[in-house]
Amino acid sequence: LFLRQLSTLIESGLPVLQSLESIQKSSQKKSVINLISNIKKQIQNGNSISSAMQNHSKYFDQLTCQLIYAGEQSGTLSVMLNRITIYKEKIKKLKSKVKKALLYPIIILIISSLVTSILLIFVVPQFAALFDGFGAQLPFLTQCVIQASEFLKSYWYLILASCILPILIFHQLKKRSQRFAQSFDQTILKIPVFGLMIKQSIIAKLIRTLETTFSSGMPLLEALSIITKITSHHSYKKALVYTYQSVKEGQPLSLCLNTTQLFPNLTIQMIAIGEEVGKLSAMLEKIADIYEDELDQKI
């Protein structure tokens, strides 16, 4: 929202400091007011907007700062701010859709588990007491439900611990063991349905970022260097590091991505065509649109 407002105000002809002043007055969040105040002070001391933002890496990532720097150098700051905003909106929308798709079955699972636990702990024991009064032999499945109820009432803390401990152990392993994190990242892409969605979202984000940086006038190598840093998936990070080194040695981008075997043939072919006809930026935009549309359909 801050970048969108700044882009609109600068485009309308307001100087940078006056634009920041206007956004600061309209904001109600103390953290945003303090942030803008700090940026203004640095600009007044002679710093550029990009260098002022670099001191606030919590809010402005490397990609944003570098694109704003490029906009300052070329005199197209408002255009660049608008481009960054569109990019961030698309990435946020993409992430939100994937999270919602993954979150829905998890919520259903948690609610169903809670309902089942309540039934077994509070409802089934009342029926068990009623069945005991009959003195008749109960069906096998009914006995199983009653035994499950008794077990849950007696050892609920063990069941709770068995649910929480694996999650804590998993987080620690992923944080401390590079090998485990790499294995997990490779495994998650093989999960039916969801694995393909995650893979498509990763590719869509990488291609969209590459398209935004490259179309902004940034050299291909610098653009590759940035997208290598923004991805957290180990397999794709390793593939992009290899791609960066290969392109640096003079190899075509399409050939390098094809060698990694992590990008579909359609992506490779379209990038190759884009390189041949000198319209790589436009082709990257089309690829990102295709993946985002496919992801929408799957979700």
Side-chain angles (χ1 to χ4, degrees):
L1 180 60
F2 168 73
L3 293 171
R4 171 67 71 195
Q5 288 174 325
L6 187 60
S7 168
T8 305
L9 290 170
I10 292 173
E11 193 175 3
S12 66
L14 282 178
V16 173
L17 282 172
Q18 197 174 336
S19 299
L20 289 168
E21 183 74 31
S22 179
I23 298 168
Q24 189 178 22
K25 285 178 181 177
S26 66
S27 180
Q28 296 178 345
K29 288 189 177 181
K30 191 176 178 181
S31 58
V32 176
I33 293 168
N34 292 335
L35 172 67
I36 296 171
S37 179
N38 195 288
I39 291 171
K40 278 167 53 187
K41 283 178 185 177
Q42 291 184 56
I43 293 171
Q44 286 167 345
N45 290 334
N47 291 322
S48 63
I49 305 173
S50 55
S51 61
M53 288 180 173
Q54 278 177 346
N55 296 324
H56 299 280
S57 56
K58 180 183 176 182
Y59 301 101
F60 305 103
D61 54 32
Q62 186 184 4
L63 173 63
T64 301
C65 295
Q66 290 196 348
L67 288 175
I68 289 174
Y69 174 76
E72 288 175 314
Q73 295 300 308
S74 60
T76 56
L77 182 58
S78 63
V79 175
M80 201 62 77
L81 283 167
N82 186 52
R83 187 169 285 172
I84 295 166
T85 307
I86 292 168
Y87 161 75
K88 286 190 172 292
E89 285 169 351
K90 285 182 177 179
I91 293 296
K92 187 178 180 181
K93 189 178 177 182
L94 186 67
K95 283 182 178 178
S96 177
K97 284 180 179 178
V98 175
K99 281 180 180 177
K100 284 178 183 176
L102 296 174
L103 193 63
Y104 181 74
I106 293 171
I107 290 171
I108 295 296
L109 184 64
I110 291 170
I111 291 172
S112 60
S113 299
L114 285 171
V115 170
T116 305
S117 299
I118 291 166
L119 288 172
L120 288 173
I121 293 170
F122 299 105
V123 180
V124 172
Q126 295 181 29
F127 283 99
L130 183 66
F131 292 149
D132 285 340
F134 294 158
Q137 181 69 28
L138 296 173
F140 175 71
L141 287 177
T142 308
Q143 290 179 27
C144 289
V145 172
I146 292 171
Q147 287 172 9
S149 172
E150 290 172 355
F151 180 81
L152 191 60
K153 282 180 69 178
S154 303
Y155 302 103
W156 63 269
Y157 52 90
L158 291 176
I159 296 169
L160 188 63
S162 67
C163 293
I164 296 171
L165 278 175
I167 296 170
L168 295 174
I169 292 167
F170 166 77
H171 277 291
Q172 289 300 314
L173 279 172
K174 196 175 180 187
K175 190 188 290 183
R176 297 172 187 273
S177 172
Q178 185 82 0
R179 190 175 178 181
F180 177 82
Q182 288 175 356
S183 299
F184 173 76
D185 282 348
Q186 289 171 358
T187 304
I188 203 169
L189 296 179
K190 297 175 183 176
I191 299 171
V193 183
F194 293 109
L196 183 59
M197 282 172 57
I198 292 166
K199 185 176 181 178
Q200 285 187 328
S201 70
I202 292 169
I203 294 172
K205 182 185 176 184
L206 292 175
I207 298 295
R208 178 67 68 191
T209 309
L210 187 60
E211 178 268 324
T212 303
T213 50
F214 189 65
S215 62
S216 301
M218 194 175 288
L220 182 58
L221 276 174
E222 198 173 336
L224 284 169
S225 175
I226 288 173
I227 68 167
T228 302
K229 292 169 185 173
I230 67 164
T231 181
S232 57
H233 194 282
H234 288 81
S235 298
Y236 279 92
K237 186 180 281 289
K238 188 178 177 182
L240 288 168
V241 169
Y242 164 79
T243 302
Y244 173 83
Q245 293 297 334
S246 300
V247 171
K248 194 175 181 180
E249 292 168 6
Q251 296 290 333
L253 177 63
S254 54
L255 180 64
C256 302
L257 293 177
N258 189 38
T259 307
T260 64
Q261 296 185 339
L262 286 173
F263 294 86
N265 288 331
L266 176 64
T267 304
I268 305 298
Q269 288 170 8
M270 289 181 75
I271 289 174
I273 293 166
E275 287 177 314
E276 284 177 19
V277 299
K279 293 186 177 180
L280 181 58
S281 176
M283 202 59 78
L284 287 169
E285 186 177 6
K286 286 187 179 184
I287 296 166
D289 288 340
I290 288 168
Y291 278 107
E292 286 166 6
D293 289 342
E294 281 185 8
L295 196 58
D296 279 347
Q297 289 173 16
K298 281 186 172 62
I299 289 168

